[in-house]
Amino acid sequence: MSAPDDPRLLGRDVRRIAFDEATLRARVAELGREITAAYPDGDLLVLGLLKGSFVFLADLVREIQRPLHVDFLVASSYGDATVSSGDVRLVYDPETVLEGQHILLVEDIIDSGRTLSTLLALMTLRAPRSIEICALLHKRIAKELSHPVRFVGFDAPNEFLVGYGLDHAENFRHLPYVASLR
Ligand code: IMP
Ligand code: MG
């Protein structure tokens, strides 16, 4: 499947659509049900990792049928490259108090796992009641992630993916599907 006629693509052809809109919608709804069932009590803080998680998070929180708060983290690691540099910095830190809360860290895609390992270490220092990860996509190649990823949308192919929040050099975040680049 390709999308050569999509005016959102800057004239660039994509290799293929990896996850189309209907597939994403159905799985996000299921994740919402899984997350709803996993938290019977306590405050839930959904922490989105910007920018990549913004589309996924917006859809996901509307599928979670319990009270919750939303905040964001901004970490920087890739720049414009398609390969992780391993240098992860926190450039926005939430003002919300994390102590005693159930935290659900929402990530677009797990590649090397470096971003999440670094953030988990930082978040754990603030004594949350629990901390879990929800990733839309997981490449299953992360060697550096010791914490299990509790909620995963899809296993991802080892290709560079864009759309539904994921970018290449800030392009393609607004695609309603996930595609792989040539
Ligand atoms: P990690 O630290 O290597 O696990 O990389 C995670 C971050 O890199 C994600 O939050 C994404 O922003 C970015 N990333 C990793 N793989 C891809 C991809 O295939 N497409 C777009 N961004 C990616
Ligand atoms: Mg990115």
Side-chain angles (χ1 to χ4, degrees), residues 50-52 77-79 81 108-109 160 165-170 173:
L50 289 178
K51 302 176 199 171
S77 66
Y78 268 36
D108 54 355
I109 184 164
F160 197 80
L166 289 91
D167 75 306
H168 177 239
E170 297 302 328
R173 292 196 195 274

mmCIF file of all heavy atoms in Angstrom, residues 50-52 77-79 81 108-109 160 165-170 173, ligand 2:
data_model
loop_
_atom_site.group_PDB
_atom_site.id
_atom_site.type_symbol
_atom_site.label_atom_id
_atom_site.label_comp_id
_atom_site.label_asym_id
_atom_site.label_seq_id
_atom_site.Cartn_x
_atom_site.Cartn_y
_atom_site.Cartn_z
ATOM 1 N N LEU A 50 6.491 14.646 24.679
ATOM 2 C CA LEU A 50 6.362 15.482 23.463
ATOM 3 C C LEU A 50 7.632 15.419 22.623
ATOM 4 O O LEU A 50 8.690 15.182 23.168
ATOM 5 C CB LEU A 50 6.092 16.930 23.868
ATOM 6 C CG LEU A 50 4.694 17.194 24.453
ATOM 7 C CD1 LEU A 50 4.576 18.657 24.862
ATOM 8 C CD2 LEU A 50 3.604 16.802 23.482
ATOM 9 N N LYS A 51 7.529 15.669 21.314
ATOM 10 C CA LYS A 51 6.252 15.971 20.718
ATOM 11 C C LYS A 51 5.538 14.738 20.207
ATOM 12 O O LYS A 51 4.344 14.756 19.940
ATOM 13 C CB LYS A 51 6.454 16.921 19.519
ATOM 14 C CG LYS A 51 7.135 18.212 19.854
ATOM 15 C CD LYS A 51 7.361 19.002 18.524
ATOM 16 C CE LYS A 51 8.428 20.042 18.739
ATOM 17 N NZ LYS A 51 8.818 20.666 17.454
ATOM 18 N N GLY A 52 6.278 13.664 20.000
ATOM 19 C CA GLY A 52 5.779 12.518 19.243
ATOM 20 C C GLY A 52 4.478 11.906 19.714
ATOM 21 O O GLY A 52 3.743 11.312 18.926
ATOM 22 N N SER A 77 16.360 14.154 21.937
ATOM 23 C CA SER A 77 17.422 13.176 21.691
ATOM 24 C C SER A 77 17.842 13.089 20.240
ATOM 25 O O SER A 77 19.025 13.009 19.940
ATOM 26 C CB SER A 77 17.019 11.785 22.179
ATOM 27 O OG SER A 77 15.951 11.278 21.422
ATOM 28 N N TYR A 78 16.884 13.139 19.302
ATOM 29 C CA TYR A 78 17.229 12.806 17.916
ATOM 30 C C TYR A 78 17.716 13.968 17.071
ATOM 31 O O TYR A 78 18.422 13.748 16.101
ATOM 32 C CB TYR A 78 15.989 12.207 17.203
ATOM 33 C CG TYR A 78 15.913 10.715 17.294
ATOM 34 C CD1 TYR A 78 16.314 10.047 18.432
ATOM 35 C CD2 TYR A 78 15.448 9.968 16.222
ATOM 36 C CE1 TYR A 78 16.235 8.677 18.519
ATOM 37 C CE2 TYR A 78 15.363 8.594 16.294
ATOM 38 C CZ TYR A 78 15.746 7.950 17.441
ATOM 39 O OH TYR A 78 15.661 6.592 17.512
ATOM 40 N N GLY A 79 17.292 15.191 17.385
ATOM 41 C CA GLY A 79 17.533 16.272 16.437
ATOM 42 C C GLY A 79 16.873 15.923 15.119
ATOM 43 O O GLY A 79 15.762 15.414 15.100
ATOM 44 N N ALA A 81 18.162 13.749 12.980
ATOM 45 C CA ALA A 81 18.692 12.481 12.490
ATOM 46 C C ALA A 81 17.644 11.377 12.579
ATOM 47 O O ALA A 81 16.650 11.494 13.285
ATOM 48 C CB ALA A 81 19.920 12.081 13.305
ATOM 49 N N ASP A 108 5.491 7.656 21.819
ATOM 50 C CA ASP A 108 5.077 7.274 20.464
ATOM 51 C C ASP A 108 5.678 5.939 20.050
ATOM 52 O O ASP A 108 4.982 5.043 19.606
ATOM 53 C CB ASP A 108 5.399 8.388 19.444
ATOM 54 C CG ASP A 108 6.870 8.833 19.463
ATOM 55 O OD1 ASP A 108 7.643 8.369 20.321
ATOM 56 O OD2 ASP A 108 7.232 9.671 18.619
ATOM 57 N N ILE A 109 7.017 5.838 20.186
ATOM 58 C CA ILE A 109 7.688 4.637 19.695
ATOM 59 C C ILE A 109 8.924 4.353 20.528
ATOM 60 O O ILE A 109 9.631 5.279 20.932
ATOM 61 C CB ILE A 109 8.039 4.796 18.187
ATOM 62 C CG1 ILE A 109 8.645 3.519 17.603
ATOM 63 C CG2 ILE A 109 8.937 6.007 17.937
ATOM 64 C CD1 ILE A 109 8.647 3.494 16.073
ATOM 65 N N PHE A 160 11.991 3.267 9.448
ATOM 66 C CA PHE A 160 11.756 4.585 10.016
ATOM 67 C C PHE A 160 10.319 4.986 9.731
ATOM 68 O O PHE A 160 9.900 5.075 8.578
ATOM 69 C CB PHE A 160 12.731 5.640 9.487
ATOM 70 C CG PHE A 160 12.739 6.845 10.369
ATOM 71 C CD1 PHE A 160 13.470 6.854 11.547
ATOM 72 C CD2 PHE A 160 11.957 7.946 10.061
ATOM 73 C CE1 PHE A 160 13.432 7.953 12.403
ATOM 74 C CE2 PHE A 160 11.910 9.052 10.915
ATOM 75 C CZ PHE A 160 12.652 9.046 12.082
ATOM 76 N N GLY A 165 1.776 11.632 14.742
ATOM 77 C CA GLY A 165 2.651 12.226 15.759
ATOM 78 C C GLY A 165 4.128 12.037 15.491
ATOM 79 O O GLY A 165 4.946 12.870 15.879
ATOM 80 N N LEU A 166 4.493 10.941 14.819
ATOM 81 C CA LEU A 166 5.913 10.676 14.580
ATOM 82 C C LEU A 166 6.415 11.522 13.411
ATOM 83 O O LEU A 166 5.716 11.673 12.404
ATOM 84 C CB LEU A 166 6.160 9.200 14.252
ATOM 85 C CG LEU A 166 5.992 8.230 15.409
ATOM 86 C CD1 LEU A 166 4.573 7.720 15.481
ATOM 87 C CD2 LEU A 166 6.959 7.066 15.261
ATOM 88 N N ASP A 167 7.647 12.015 13.570
ATOM 89 C CA ASP A 167 8.177 12.924 12.553
ATOM 90 C C ASP A 167 9.471 12.427 11.946
ATOM 91 O O ASP A 167 10.151 11.558 12.491
ATOM 92 C CB ASP A 167 8.483 14.287 13.192
ATOM 93 C CG ASP A 167 9.752 14.237 14.051
ATOM 94 O OD1 ASP A 167 9.829 13.378 14.952
ATOM 95 O OD2 ASP A 167 10.665 15.035 13.798
ATOM 96 N N HIS A 168 9.801 13.053 10.813
ATOM 97 C CA HIS A 168 11.181 13.059 10.349
ATOM 98 C C HIS A 168 11.509 14.518 10.110
ATOM 99 O O HIS A 168 10.870 15.167 9.267
ATOM 100 C CB HIS A 168 11.376 12.245 9.071
ATOM 101 C CG HIS A 168 12.777 12.327 8.559
ATOM 102 N ND1 HIS A 168 13.095 12.799 7.326
ATOM 103 C CD2 HIS A 168 13.946 12.021 9.174
ATOM 104 C CE1 HIS A 168 14.415 12.783 7.184
ATOM 105 N NE2 HIS A 168 14.949 12.318 8.292
ATOM 106 N N ALA A 169 12.460 15.064 10.874
ATOM 107 C CA ALA A 169 12.815 16.484 10.793
ATOM 108 C C ALA A 169 11.571 17.368 10.885
ATOM 109 O O ALA A 169 11.423 18.331 10.133
ATOM 110 C CB ALA A 169 13.611 16.769 9.522
ATOM 111 N N GLU A 170 10.680 17.004 11.806
ATOM 112 C CA GLU A 170 9.441 17.759 12.105
ATOM 113 C C GLU A 170 8.360 17.655 11.034
ATOM 114 O O GLU A 170 7.294 18.250 11.181
ATOM 115 C CB GLU A 170 9.731 19.241 12.418
ATOM 116 C CG GLU A 170 10.587 19.446 13.658
ATOM 117 C CD GLU A 170 9.961 18.841 14.919
ATOM 118 O OE1 GLU A 170 8.729 18.812 15.035
ATOM 119 O OE2 GLU A 170 10.730 18.376 15.784
ATOM 120 N N ARG A 173 4.050 14.795 11.026
ATOM 121 C CA ARG A 173 3.378 14.486 12.290
ATOM 122 C C ARG A 173 1.857 14.439 12.130
ATOM 123 O O ARG A 173 1.158 13.779 12.895
ATOM 124 C CB ARG A 173 3.708 15.543 13.360
ATOM 125 C CG ARG A 173 5.154 15.530 13.830
ATOM 126 C CD ARG A 173 5.279 16.314 15.137
ATOM 127 N NE ARG A 173 6.650 16.643 15.481
ATOM 128 C CZ ARG A 173 7.484 15.849 16.148
ATOM 129 N NH1 ARG A 173 7.080 14.655 16.549
ATOM 130 N NH2 ARG A 173 8.708 16.224 16.416
HETATM 131 MG MG MG B 2 11.010 12.466 17.133
#
